[in-house]
Amino acid sequence: MATTKKTATKKVAKKAAPSLKFNTAWEYAPALEGTSHVTIAPQYELFIDGKFVKPESGKYFNTINPATEANLSSIAEANAADVDKAVKAARKAYNGAWGKMSGAERAKYIFRISRMIQEKARELCVIETLDGGKPIRESRDIDIPLAANHFFYYAGWADKLDYAFPNRKPTSLGVAGQIIPWNFPLLMAAWKIAPALATGNTVVLKPAETTPLTALKLAEIIQECDLPPGVVNILTGAGATGAALVQHNDINKIAFTGSTEVGKLIQQACAGSSKKLTLELGGKAANIIFEDAPLDQAVEGIINGIFFNQGHVCCAGSRLFVQESVYKTVLRKLKDRMATLIVGNPLDKNTDIGAINSKQQLDTIHKYITIGKKEGAEMYQTDINLPRKGFYCKPTLFTDVAQSSRIAQEEIFGPVLTVQTFRTEDEVIEKANNTPYGLSAGVWTDKGSKIFNLTTKIRAGVVWANTYNKFDPTSPFGGYKESGYGREGGLQGLAGYLHI
Ligand code: NAP
Ligand code: MG
């Protein structure tokens, strides 16, 4: 039903282009994902030493559904005493059975976690969408399958570490403290936990305050998998919980994914200690279209690059550079495509853009939209009605953007795209590199030589060519400059958890 309507809508869109009212002409029939198969407890405790325990702090906070503002569950808030308990449990497990276990045995547990995530995928994706606001299509097709794949991939390395680093004798570090953001909650937990376990470490993980639920579900899975107590501990809380984890003196490694601002604080806190540190921070990716690119495909990639997950993606293609000769065509195609995007209930399988993760993040995005207008850039938003309740933002485009403008320099972390033009390869390389960040970039061209030229000169950890936002557990991911250091994913992702 939904597919038929989609085709119909596309036809109308073609005929009527460039009218911006496609969605009002053809409404999609709602295709809501069910929630009856999902269990969310009214209250969650901390997961320490294999058990769910009440917090020493005695405090709880609420996690809400940003699409409706309804309360989902009450979550324990860990303080420094809870952090200490969790680190002690992790140390005991490291000095005990886990530290002595062979790689082949560790692999069995990690494979089991992967399989359990697959078995519970339908429940996990709905919880991810309820807690974080991302469209069900993404949590179902990207977040949860990739999280399972990460465990599966790293399970395969557990007994092959000597082959990963030939002529070395890699050894584990000990206890890893891991802190993750809210944009890909379960996937970020998998990125952190899977390589740490494969390399023989034990962990204390802190999920983000607004999206703790799938990490707690993962704790239940870990319990069901009979992982020895203390190998994985999950502490919910806010920034102060993360800070207490960073400051704990019996931690060997901190792995952080989040903002550059907090990353800098963590780097300062770890300075002078023996803690190993990897930082996966913010980004301001350039997505570059040359005149010889397949333009329709490129526009689809640009849309995916910035509006995917409401732009809550560290590697979001938030700066578009278009070669001058095709600027008008690309802009028209972009606006036409934006007009067909469906913003609304994240549980609806038709939804392209779900809810912004929190009121605070929505305010940040609005702040930047105001800055963009004040700076003199021209704003374009599609003509749609947003749901009255919940945190939503219209997909937004800025043209006439100066290179020095704040909306072109600072990470907005929302569905806001800036568009600039260029004439030559050298010019666009210079402009693309002119930001403090260096996480990712995209190049759209028919010419292999341009791809090679740009991928070697753009200072970014990942450069996609004629595609965007493609992830795979076998590929390393990480930044240059203020986007952080260290790599996650692939063979390189093992190195951050080993003495080599
Ligand atoms: P954030 O504010 O830096 O928070 C990230 C995590 O750190 C959260 O768990 C947060 O807890 C915790 N935290 C906050 N203050 C802390 C402190 N002083 N010490 C230790 N931990 C602290 O970032 P966010 O807003 O959640 O996430 C968005 C950012 O993450 C963006 O900048 C994005 O680019 C970046 N990101 C990067 C990557 C990458 O791979 N490079 C991937 C995803 C996201 P609370 O949430 O509970 O406050
Ligand atoms: Mg929430």
Side-chain angles (χ1 to χ4, degrees):
M1 182 69 181
T3 324
T4 329
K5 289 229 165 181
K6 194 164 192 167
T7 320
T9 310
K10 275 203 172 139
K11 271 185 191 152
V12 172
K14 246 187 179 167
K15 251 194 206 164
S19 152
L20 305 176
K21 299 247 180 199
F22 310 143
N23 287 340
T24 48
W26 287 86
E27 288 296 332
Y28 282 71
L32 289 181
E33 177 65 51
T35 53
S36 55
H37 61 293
V38 166
T39 313
I40 299 177
Q43 182 168 309
Y44 282 95
E45 311 297 344
L46 306 173
F47 185 63
I48 299 177
D49 209 13
K51 295 181 285 290
F52 285 92
V53 296
K54 297 215 172 289
E56 295 288 332
S57 72
K59 287 190 190 156
Y60 291 81
F61 62 93
N62 289 338
T63 187
I64 65 161
N65 176 354
T68 60
E69 299 175 51
N71 188 23
L72 290 171
S73 184
S74 173
I75 310 290
E77 184 179 328
N79 65 10
D82 296 304
V83 168
D84 188 50
K85 255 167 84 174
V87 173
K88 285 200 169 110
R91 179 62 62 193
K92 198 174 86 201
Y94 181 73
N95 291 335
W98 189 254
K100 299 183 182 74
M101 200 181 282
S102 70
E105 283 302 307
R106 285 199 309 273
K108 290 181 195 168
Y109 287 102
I110 309 170
F111 276 126
R112 209 180 284 168
I113 296 172
S114 170
R115 280 197 303 272
M116 293 268 279
I117 292 176
Q118 284 173 329
E119 275 168 28
K120 292 176 189 280
R122 272 198 69 219
E123 183 184 20
L124 290 169
C125 69
V126 172
I127 296 177
E128 203 72 299
T129 283
L130 288 172
D131 204 15
K134 64 171 58 201
I136 187 74
R137 240 173 33 210
E138 279 167 23
S139 48
R140 182 195 63 195
D141 298 346
I142 295 165
D143 293 64
I144 308 304
L146 265 181
N149 282 353
H150 266 270
F151 280 104
F152 191 80
Y153 172 75
Y154 278 111
W157 274 121
D159 62 346
K160 302 175 194 70
L161 299 177
D162 290 346
Y163 302 100
F165 304 99
N167 303 320
R168 306 281 176 123
K169 274 272 163 232
T171 52
S172 56
L173 301 177
V175 178
Q178 307 179 317
I179 300 169
I180 55 172
W182 42 259
N183 58 344
F184 292 90
L186 187 67
L187 182 57
M188 289 298 114
W191 276 30
K192 295 276 180 281
I193 296 175
L197 298 189
T199 47
N201 300 280
T202 58
V203 312
V204 180
L205 174 105
K206 191 202 93 68
E209 187 182 357
T210 55
T211 53
L213 289 178
T214 45
L216 292 161
K217 283 279 162 186
L218 181 62
E220 291 176 359
I221 288 174
I222 282 166
Q223 216 179 23
E224 266 186 75
C225 286
D226 280 333
L227 206 72
V231 173
V232 174
N233 304 274
I234 295 184
L235 295 183
T236 41
T241 309
L245 188 56
V246 170
Q247 279 152 18
H248 198 288
N249 56 19
D250 195 28
I251 284 196
N252 306 95
K253 148 98 188 188
I254 292 287
F256 173 77
T257 297
S259 60
T260 296
E261 191 189 345
V262 174
K264 285 180 182 175
L265 292 176
I266 291 179
Q267 195 172 17
Q268 283 164 11
C270 291
S273 78
S274 61
K275 284 173 195 147
K276 197 165 171 160
L277 178 64
T278 44
L279 297 172
E280 299 276 359
L281 310 177
K284 191 75 185 171
N287 217 344
I288 301 164
I289 304 188
F290 283 95
E291 61 188 2
D292 56 34
L295 294 185
D296 288 322
Q297 196 182 321
V299 165
E300 201 53 40
I302 303 304
I303 294 277
N304 168 43
I306 183 65
F307 299 131
F308 165 56
N309 197 17
Q310 298 72 248
H312 296 338
V313 188
C314 49
C315 47
S318 50
R319 292 182 298 149
L320 171 62
F321 292 97
V322 188
Q323 200 156 23
E324 238 173 51
S325 48
V326 289
Y327 174 69
K328 279 195 179 142
T329 316
V330 167
L331 200 64
R332 178 177 50 79
K333 284 177 185 286
L334 206 55
K335 286 181 175 176
D336 285 356
R337 183 64 181 91
M338 277 172 75
T340 66
L341 291 173
I342 299 176
V343 185
N345 188 348
L347 276 178
D348 193 320
K349 289 163 207 149
N350 295 316
T351 294
D352 298 302
I353 301 183
I356 301 300
N357 183 265
S358 63
K359 170 80 170 51
Q360 194 190 359
Q361 186 58 25
L362 183 61
D363 290 344
T364 303
I365 299 168
H366 285 157
K367 180 190 87 181
Y368 275 107
I369 290 177
T370 309
I371 290 173
K373 288 193 277 193
K374 277 199 187 139
E375 285 178 330
E378 188 169 325
M379 188 192 72
Y380 168 80
Q381 284 182 328
T382 51
D383 183 15
I384 46 168
N385 296 322
L386 298 179
R388 260 190 241 121
K389 226 162 163 54
F391 315 130
Y392 292 92
C393 181
K394 290 183 184 182
T396 305
L397 194 72
F398 276 107
T399 50
D400 292 333
V401 178
Q403 179 69 26
S404 58
S405 137
R406 284 184 66 189
I407 54 168
Q409 286 289 329
E410 297 174 20
E411 186 185 44
I412 301 174
F413 224 55
V416 182
L417 178 67
T418 61
V419 191
Q420 293 170 262
T421 58
F422 68 94
R423 288 184 186 171
T424 65
E425 280 178 60
D426 286 346
E427 180 190 348
V428 78
I429 291 167
E430 177 118 9
K431 282 180 166 171
N433 282 336
N434 182 0
T435 108
Y437 296 109
L439 193 58
S440 60
V443 184
W444 300 83
T445 170
D446 198 28
K447 296 273 182 294
S449 56
K450 275 185 203 159
I451 293 174
F452 283 122
N453 187 27
L454 267 77
T455 48
T456 49
K457 290 183 184 151
I458 289 182
R459 300 267 298 152
V462 184
V463 185
W464 285 289
N466 294 326
T467 185
Y468 206 83
N469 272 343
K470 285 272 181 291
F471 299 97
D472 189 283
T474 63
S475 310
F477 185 89
Y480 281 84
K481 302 193 280 186
E482 291 195 17
S483 291
Y485 49 77
R487 294 292 178 264
E488 287 185 318
L491 188 153
Q492 291 83 348
L494 295 166
Y497 288 97
L498 290 168
H499 294 295
I500 301 170

